[in-house]
Amino acid sequence: MEIMHEADLDTEFMRFMRHVRDKSTATIKSYTQNYKKLRDKVGKELHEVPLEDLVLEIGQMSDSYASQKAFANVWSICNYQMQLKETHQSYIKYYKHLDEKIEMQLRAKHKEIKSDIIPTADLIKHEDKLYKDEQFDKFVACFIVRNCYCRNKDLDIMVVNTYDDVDDKNNFIVIEDKKIVIIRQDYKTSKIYGRIQTEFKDKKFLDACKKLPFGQKLFPTADTTAKLQHRLKNSLYTNEVQYLNTKIDEIAKTGDLKELKRVSELRGSGLDQLVTSYNLDF
């Protein structure tokens, strides 16, 4: 039987994974996928690849400068973890070049988004129709996305009418007599922002939630991520990002930075992320 020595376990990939282990589950998954894609492309451990070769390789892998930056970041982590050398000036210059290109792409994207904004009145009209048609699960989903500015993952959520059924890991719609409490604990950035709890006293929302079956998920047949995405595609007015774009567009017109901060806290997303990734042009 072959004996595995400690040195055999101290590989580049293992050092890389130890470095990113405290990040969110989604971020770790993204880092891992990017590492494996880049490792397959170059055919050897990443710290062995010279910068000039790296630039050529990742340029062939994606036209997106944001993706190129993500690959470059993986290389930088591996390079430091294996060689313990500070990032050299040529890499910093390359990284700055990618940032400039990303900003150009984002401004073009923002212009495209601004030409396709959906008025809030249209979103509410859609909700009203769902309520009138007694499609209460879809109405509740739309209401939460529009008012919590959340991602689809947040709608993997359980409907309960007692706090005895609330744990410290999952998402819940808690139905009280005169209000609804939305508790989100399982979402993309939960490791950073923790539990997000939001209360609503809207009469239609309260009534619709009370008509949902207790003790099961909002979309009980959506037992996988793919099924949930499919259900939401047929429930929301459009995708959840466009709901957020509508709100951000309103803030851009009013310049209300307190409201932007509120959106940031409700979504569980940094202010920088909201400003650079959606349709604000500061």
Side-chain angles (χ1 to χ4, degrees):
M1 180 178 179
E2 184 179 355
I3 298 176
M4 184 71 74
H5 297 285
E6 185 177 348
D8 297 326
L9 299 175
D10 194 25
T11 64
E12 175 187 81
F13 180 66
M14 288 184 176
R15 290 194 189 187
F16 175 76
M17 293 306 295
R18 285 199 295 272
H19 179 80
V20 304
R21 65 188 171 192
D22 292 331
K23 298 186 180 296
S24 71
T25 302
T27 301
I28 292 172
K29 181 179 179 181
S30 177
Y31 267 116
T32 305
Q33 290 175 339
N34 284 339
Y35 176 90
K36 291 180 178 179
K37 287 178 184 177
L38 190 54
R39 177 69 173 75
D40 289 344
K41 177 71 169 129
V42 302
K44 53 185 173 182
E45 292 201 332
L46 303 185
H47 74 279
E48 298 175 352
V49 182
L51 179 62
E52 55 271 21
D53 292 346
L54 171 82
V55 172
L56 179 63
E57 295 286 6
I58 68 175
Q60 295 173 348
M61 292 176 70
S62 176
D63 293 331
S64 164
Y65 291 109
S67 294
Q68 290 181 26
K69 183 178 176 181
F71 286 126
N73 190 40
V74 167
W75 176 86
S76 178
I77 292 171
C78 292
N79 198 48
Y80 179 78
Q81 290 297 313
M82 297 303 291
Q83 301 185 23
L84 299 179
K85 292 180 180 179
E86 294 296 334
T87 305
H88 43 76
Q89 289 301 312
S90 56
Y91 178 77
I92 293 174
K93 183 178 179 181
Y94 172 58
Y95 215 64
K96 184 178 180 181
H97 164 75
L98 290 177
D99 279 338
E100 291 171 351
K101 291 294 186 181
I102 289 169
E103 184 175 352
M104 289 175 58
Q105 287 186 331
L106 281 173
R107 289 194 176 278
K109 177 185 175 184
H110 291 171
K111 186 177 292 187
E112 182 181 335
I113 289 171
K114 281 179 177 292
S115 67
D116 194 32
I117 290 295
I118 299 166
T120 300
D122 288 355
L123 298 178
I124 294 174
K125 184 178 179 181
H126 174 67
E127 290 172 21
D128 288 342
K129 185 176 186 308
L130 292 174
Y131 182 85
K132 184 178 179 180
D133 293 344
E134 298 186 356
Q135 297 186 55
F136 299 118
D137 54 351
K138 293 182 180 181
F139 171 85
V140 167
C142 291
F143 186 96
I144 292 174
V145 170
R146 183 172 61 83
N147 289 280
C148 293
Y149 320 107
C150 62
R151 305 168 184 87
N152 285 344
K153 180 176 174 58
D154 301 46
L155 292 175
D156 182 12
I157 192 166
M158 181 74 69
V159 182
V160 300
N161 63 346
T162 170
Y163 284 94
D164 291 340
D165 294 328
V166 175
D167 59 35
D168 59 357
K169 295 181 180 179
N170 298 295
N171 302 326
F172 295 92
I173 298 173
V174 185
I175 302 171
E176 298 188 18
D177 184 38
K178 296 182 179 180
K179 68 180 179 181
I180 302 296
V181 180
I182 305 298
I183 298 173
R184 289 177 286 144
Q185 303 171 112
D186 179 21
Y187 60 98
K188 184 179 179 181
T189 54
S190 60
K191 287 188 177 180
I192 299 172
Y193 294 95
R195 174 170 170 156
I196 299 176
Q197 185 164 315
T198 318
E199 295 183 2
F200 296 103
K201 295 182 180 179
D202 180 272
K203 290 183 179 180
K204 277 188 179 179
F205 186 57
L206 181 61
D207 180 60
C209 288
K210 287 182 176 181
K211 288 183 167 63
L212 298 173
F214 298 159
Q216 66 179 39
K217 290 190 175 181
L218 178 61
F219 296 112
T221 60
D223 54 0
T224 66
T225 300
K227 286 184 178 180
L228 176 61
Q229 298 285 17
H230 178 72
R231 292 295 299 271
L232 293 176
K233 184 177 180 181
N234 291 290
S235 298
L236 303 181
Y237 184 96
T238 179
N239 65 71
E240 50 90 12
V241 172
Q242 284 191 288
Y243 273 77
L244 181 60
N245 286 336
T246 295
K247 181 61 179 180
I248 297 297
D249 185 62
E250 291 177 355
I251 295 173
K253 291 174 180 175
T254 62
D256 189 347
L257 296 183
K258 287 186 178 179
E259 183 68 2
L260 182 64
K261 185 175 183 294
R262 189 178 76 88
V263 172
S264 168
E265 292 169 349
L266 281 172
R267 180 174 172 82
S269 185
L271 287 169
D272 287 347
Q273 177 71 12
L274 292 179
V275 170
T276 58
S277 295
Y278 299 93
N279 64 350
L280 287 176
D281 289 317
F282 289 130

